[in-house]
Amino acid sequence: MPGHFEPTPGGGAAVSLDEVEISIIRSLAVQLLELVGPGPGGDAPADPLAELFADGPTEPPADPVLHRLFPDAYGSPADPVGTPEEAAERTARSSEFRRFTENDLRARKREDALAVVRALDGLALDGEGVAVLRLAPDDCRCWLGALNDLRLAIGTRLDITDEDDTDLLYRLPDEDPRKPMVMAYLWLGGLQETLVTTLLP
């Protein structure tokens, strides 16, 4: 199981991680938490019921990574499809959809990233500096969500828009300053792929 997830009895998954790998994933998950933010009411809202029914934002985030994590539901106003009137209609529908869904999406992404941090914090390294991460089925779903969000975030920073961009990343010289981020992107992709495989019937 080193470097990739394997299925465990009961529908879970397990992977061996060394101290450096644990540190990388944890650091990225914490950065994701900081990027997504605590939500409109902060960490401890005074009235949880009011928070539940609070309207979300209607404008897309300015940060490209956040925009990738919370995209327009009906396409970007800049999409060269249809008339200006149709573009305005798409914008209005996306704004309304965002108002009712983004708070919940942010909460879910925070829960997934927190689940990753907590799972890693609970690991104990053996004498060789390796720990086995064992995930229950519900934990697997959180990890899948967080790994996907991390890859979307890193991919956006790397300007990855299609498979051809990914192919180019494999050929980057070692001295390219993007190389560490590229290696993290590809490694997380491998983890995500093997975790998906373990959950297939």
Side-chain angles (χ1 to χ4, degrees):
M1 92 181 53
H4 60 273
F5 280 98
E6 293 184 357
T8 58
V15 63
S16 290
L17 299 170
D18 64 31
E19 189 172 7
V20 172
E21 292 169 333
I22 292 168
S23 176
I24 291 171
I25 299 174
R26 189 186 189 284
S27 174
L28 290 172
V30 169
Q31 290 178 54
L32 181 62
L33 281 167
E34 293 172 350
L35 183 65
V36 171
D43 291 322
D47 184 351
L49 186 61
E51 184 77 4
L52 181 65
F53 292 101
D55 283 350
T58 57
E59 296 296 322
D63 186 308
V65 172
L66 284 175
H67 198 178
R68 185 68 183 89
L69 293 174
F70 306 103
D72 291 311
Y74 297 97
S76 167
D79 289 343
V81 178
T83 65
E85 292 77 15
E86 290 169 333
E89 174 65 18
R90 285 199 307 271
T91 299
R93 292 169 65 193
S94 290
S95 294
E96 192 72 356
F97 185 83
R98 184 179 297 279
R99 182 164 71 95
F100 290 112
T101 62
E102 186 168 314
N103 286 347
D104 288 342
L105 287 173
R106 282 182 182 262
R108 179 67 204 199
K109 292 179 186 301
R110 284 194 298 274
E111 289 168 9
D112 289 346
L114 277 171
V116 168
V117 172
R118 289 170 179 152
L120 296 175
D121 286 348
L123 294 178
L125 298 171
D126 63 16
E128 298 180 357
V130 175
V132 177
L133 172 69
R134 300 183 193 279
L135 301 177
D138 286 345
D139 298 325
C140 290
R141 286 185 281 276
C142 290
W143 272 72
L144 274 178
L147 288 172
N148 186 63
D149 288 342
L150 289 173
R151 293 192 75 240
L152 285 174
I154 295 172
T156 302
R157 293 293 189 229
L158 291 170
D159 292 324
I160 296 173
T161 57
D162 55 39
E163 196 61 34
D164 291 340
D165 294 333
T166 305
D167 292 340
L168 290 172
L169 295 178
Y170 280 103
R171 299 193 293 272
L172 283 180
D174 290 342
E175 61 270 16
D176 192 297
R178 296 170 295 172
K179 191 73 171 187
M181 195 181 300
V182 167
M183 297 306 295
Y185 176 81
L186 298 174
W187 173 58
L188 291 173
L191 283 177
Q192 183 182 21
E193 183 178 350
T194 60
L195 183 52
V196 168
T197 301
T198 66
L199 301 179
L200 293 176

